[in-house]
Amino acid sequence: MKLSIIVPVFNVEEYIRPCIESILRQGLDEDCYEIIIINDGTPDNSMEVIADIIEAHQNILVINQENQGLSIARNNGLQKASGDYILFVDSDDLLINNCVQYLLDQAISSKADLIVADFLKMSNEQILKLSSKSFIQKSGNIQKRTGKELFLQDLNPYYCQVWRTMYRRAFLNDNNLRFIPHIIFEDIPFTQQCYLKASLCLRIDWTFIIYRKCQTSITSSFNLKKAQDFCTAISETWKMSNNDNIDNTIKTKLKNNAFVHFSLLQYSLTSCDSIPRTEKMSVLYFLKST
């Protein structure tokens, strides 16, 4: 088994079928990869709309669990995965047709810990207009980097999402790299930890995934739980920066990343009308305590 693609599912009835269909349009031999769908106790019809796809493909594994959040869903998917490499795909996103094979070939031949590629950020309307004929692929140029080099040169703190990276499963297991349970923004500490622990990474000029833009405004989607979870992510970044075993350039970048995320937290709190002022103040005290 070369590749495990992990797809958590919760309240994505509108998007899950296109997501799974895009994974199946990669031209991969079904004997060499698996799709692990984690039903995170979804209350809608997400699982029903893909029931026929699951039944038709032997390489699709379904894990049913009570709703525990994205972090635990991904961790449970990792626990079951048997592929040499791991790809996380969010259930409202899409893979571009026939684009994963190239990344997987480079991963297998190099045995790199991380393979980082590119993505498109598109609205629902833009996705509907996209066709394979109009899509122009990038060069596929490959740069070899250490994880720390990639962290310094390539990691944008605004885009710490895990879905733009292919991970060597043994690397994750050997370093006990897992998502912090029960928080949103779990991608932030996980991504930074992976970069700082990786030996060989490939940065490939290749677009393979479409990130679907969220249609929900920040004032209606942000809440106290998300604010506290963001604080946890910021705190974890700050703790990493205090590690005596990393050099000053890494420490500086980590602290800069923490500042970027703190600024985003402040903006989100200021813009959110649904959180009372007293609770906004409590968020800052919570951050201080963590």
Side-chain angles (χ1 to χ4, degrees):
M1 188 67 66
K2 294 181 180 179
L3 178 65
S4 297
I5 302 176
I6 297 173
V7 187
V9 173
F10 184 81
N11 272 352
V12 284
E13 182 177 337
E14 182 180 356
Y15 304 120
I16 184 59
R17 189 175 184 94
C19 173
I20 300 301
E21 288 177 339
S22 77
I23 295 173
L24 294 169
R25 289 196 299 268
Q26 294 305 308
L28 296 168
D29 187 333
E30 291 195 3
D31 291 336
C32 82
Y33 81 105
E34 62 183 355
I35 304 171
I36 302 177
I37 297 173
I38 300 95
N39 171 19
D40 189 28
T42 185
D44 66 355
N45 294 318
S46 293
M47 298 306 297
E48 284 78 3
V49 300
I50 57 172
D52 60 318
I53 298 178
I54 294 170
E55 184 177 357
H57 295 274
Q58 297 297 315
N59 64 331
I60 298 180
L61 169 66
V62 176
I63 299 173
N64 294 303
Q65 63 180 44
E66 294 182 1
N67 178 238
Q68 300 179 72
L70 184 57
S71 295
I72 291 181
R74 284 174 171 168
N75 287 343
N76 288 341
L78 271 172
Q79 188 68 28
K80 289 289 186 181
S82 57
D84 294 330
Y85 280 86
I86 302 292
L87 188 62
F88 298 102
V89 177
D90 285 352
S91 47
D92 54 351
D93 294 341
L94 301 166
L95 296 180
I96 297 171
N97 293 354
N98 299 305
C99 286
V100 169
Q101 181 73 69
Y102 178 68
L103 299 179
L104 183 59
D105 288 344
Q106 302 307 318
I108 297 297
S109 62
S110 67
K111 295 182 174 60
D113 295 327
L114 307 177
I115 297 86
V116 181
D118 297 313
F119 65 95
L120 297 175
K121 185 177 182 180
M122 305 180 74
S123 65
N124 290 337
E125 293 76 16
Q126 290 171 320
I127 290 172
L128 290 173
K129 293 177 182 178
L130 181 69
S131 68
S132 57
K133 291 182 180 179
S134 64
F135 175 72
I136 300 175
Q137 184 54 269
K138 292 187 175 183
S139 65
N141 179 58
I142 301 171
Q143 299 177 18
K144 291 185 177 181
R145 296 284 188 269
T146 66
K148 291 178 181 178
E149 288 172 342
L150 201 64
F151 174 79
L152 290 171
Q153 300 167 10
D154 189 74
L155 182 63
N156 183 336
Y158 292 98
Y159 290 105
C160 284
Q161 291 90 342
V162 299
W163 37 253
R164 63 176 299 202
T165 301
M166 193 175 285
Y167 303 83
R168 188 167 63 88
R169 184 167 63 93
F171 161 73
L172 296 179
N173 289 338
D174 290 346
N175 289 280
N176 195 29
L177 290 164
R178 291 295 187 269
F179 296 93
I180 299 173
H182 306 300
I183 71 163
I184 308 170
F185 308 108
E186 72 287 342
D187 289 21
I188 294 172
F190 181 86
T191 298
Q192 294 181 127
Q193 288 170 352
C194 286
Y195 275 55
L196 295 180
K197 290 182 180 294
S199 297
L200 173 62
C201 303
L202 302 183
R203 178 63 176 91
I204 302 183
D205 192 25
W206 187 261
T207 306
F208 78 105
I209 194 164
I210 298 172
Y211 166 63
R212 193 184 297 269
K213 290 181 186 176
C214 179
Q215 301 298 313
T216 307
S217 68
I218 192 166
T219 53
S220 63
S221 66
F222 206 68
N223 55 43
L224 184 61
K225 169 68 166 62
K226 289 183 179 180
Q228 291 178 336
D229 287 354
F230 208 170
C231 289
T232 300
I234 294 169
S235 176
E236 288 299 314
T237 301
W238 192 259
K239 289 175 184 175
M240 287 183 227
S241 73
N242 292 322
N243 186 340
D244 293 333
N245 295 323
I246 59 176
D247 60 44
N248 288 331
T249 55
I250 299 291
K251 289 183 178 183
T252 300
K253 175 72 180 287
L254 284 166
K255 289 181 178 181
N256 287 341
N257 288 356
F259 177 76
V260 167
H261 295 140
F262 176 71
S263 300
L264 287 173
L265 172 67
Q266 290 282 71
Y267 171 76
S268 301
L269 286 172
T270 303
S271 304
C272 184
D273 297 328
S274 62
I275 302 178
R277 183 179 180 276
T278 54
E279 290 188 356
K280 290 179 181 180
M281 292 299 297
S282 73
V283 170
L284 299 180
Y285 285 115
F286 178 81
L287 177 59
K288 183 179 180 180
S289 69
T290 58

